[in-house]
Amino acid sequence: QRAPGRPQIASYNAVIGACAKSGETTTALELYEELKQRGLDPDPMTYTAAVTACKAGAQWEAASALLDDMAQRGLPNITVPYNALVTACERDGLFAEALLFFDELKTKRGPEAPDAFTYTAAISAAGKSGQWQRALDLFEECLSRGMPNKFAYNAMISACQRGGHYAKALELFKDAQDRLGLEPNVRDYSAMISVCGRGGRWETALRLFDELKARGLQP
């Protein structure tokens, strides 16, 4: 049996989400206020959709206020809407905003709040905005918390490539295999061969090419 009011919340969530995708920030926020006036309780999906709508309209203060409201209501999974916001900002090239909300998550919700998804998006944002050292600090923090994953490694390797730190990129490529037991695919090898080319490491590039073929992968 469904909890009272749940169908209405599901409907509001769907419409707010549609507004977010269409860039209708004002309408999304009006719907958020409307559902509260009707006595309905927002859930984590409501906040995720609403903060994503705020990103579409660059309403950063409104996004922060929504996240504060969610925390005050004591709702679980507050990392989820933060992840949606940080990831959306990173994907759309809003790197400063992505890092701003990553920092806000840690400051307001505690240093343990970010998860692997938050770290990956923040590492990518730092790398793409030329903040190689910040990306490395975030990556090492992610490792120290025991949550490394292929996507975080790929984001950090890309940051190294952009910053011209080719030796570090190769070190991370091998570490991902040793630590996570990952089997690189053709795309991974191609990226690393490109890194070697840019770094003038032709012998390493040839070794990786031979390794790719030895694994039975098609160049």
Side-chain angles (χ1 to χ4, degrees):
Q1 184 177 2
R2 293 181 178 178
R6 181 63 201 176
Q8 292 96 323
I9 282 295
S11 298
Y12 270 102
N13 291 350
V15 177
I16 293 171
C19 290
K21 291 179 180 178
S22 301
E24 297 293 336
T25 304
T26 300
T27 303
L29 294 178
E30 287 174 351
L31 287 166
Y32 168 78
E33 293 299 331
E34 179 183 302
L35 73 86
K36 290 196 299 179
Q37 290 170 6
R38 290 188 57 192
L40 299 174
D41 293 323
D43 63 14
M45 290 187 66
T46 315
Y47 286 100
T48 299
V51 298
T52 302
C54 289
K55 191 281 302 180
Q59 298 290 328
W60 310 121
E61 290 185 6
S64 186
L66 283 165
L67 293 164
D68 285 342
D69 184 58
M70 181 179 176
Q72 289 169 6
R73 288 173 180 269
L75 293 176
N77 302 323
I78 195 166
T79 302
V80 174
Y82 269 103
N83 284 351
L85 190 55
V86 173
T87 301
C89 288
E90 183 276 331
R91 184 180 60 240
D92 290 351
L94 301 169
F95 306 129
E97 289 79 6
L99 293 170
L100 175 69
F101 281 103
F102 175 86
D103 290 338
E104 178 181 303
L105 174 61
K106 290 181 66 179
T107 302
K108 290 187 175 181
R109 318 305 168 200
E112 301 301 313
D115 62 16
F117 295 102
T118 332
Y119 274 107
T120 298
I123 291 165
S124 182
K128 290 178 179 178
S129 59
Q131 301 180 60
W132 180 83
Q133 188 58 54
R134 176 78 193 278
L136 183 60
D137 290 343
L138 289 168
F139 179 76
E140 291 179 345
E141 189 177 296
C142 179
L143 291 186
S144 71
R145 292 191 54 200
M147 54 174 82
N149 62 83
K150 179 176 181 177
F151 302 106
Y153 269 97
N154 286 347
M156 190 62 233
I157 289 171
S158 294
C160 291
Q161 185 174 356
R162 286 188 176 89
H165 299 277
Y166 305 116
K168 184 65 176 178
L170 288 166
E171 176 188 322
L172 290 169
F173 180 70
K174 185 175 188 307
D175 188 57
Q177 297 174 60
D178 296 340
R179 187 188 296 264
L180 303 181
L182 294 176
E183 292 290 336
N185 56 32
V186 173
R187 185 175 180 178
D188 296 329
Y189 274 110
S190 296
M192 293 314 302
I193 290 169
S194 176
V195 166
C196 291
R198 294 185 182 185
R201 296 170 174 264
W202 65 271
E203 291 180 332
T204 305
L206 286 175
R207 178 180 60 77
L208 288 171
F209 186 67
D210 289 340
E211 187 178 302
L212 179 155
K213 292 188 292 183
R215 287 178 180 269
L217 300 173
Q218 293 297 320

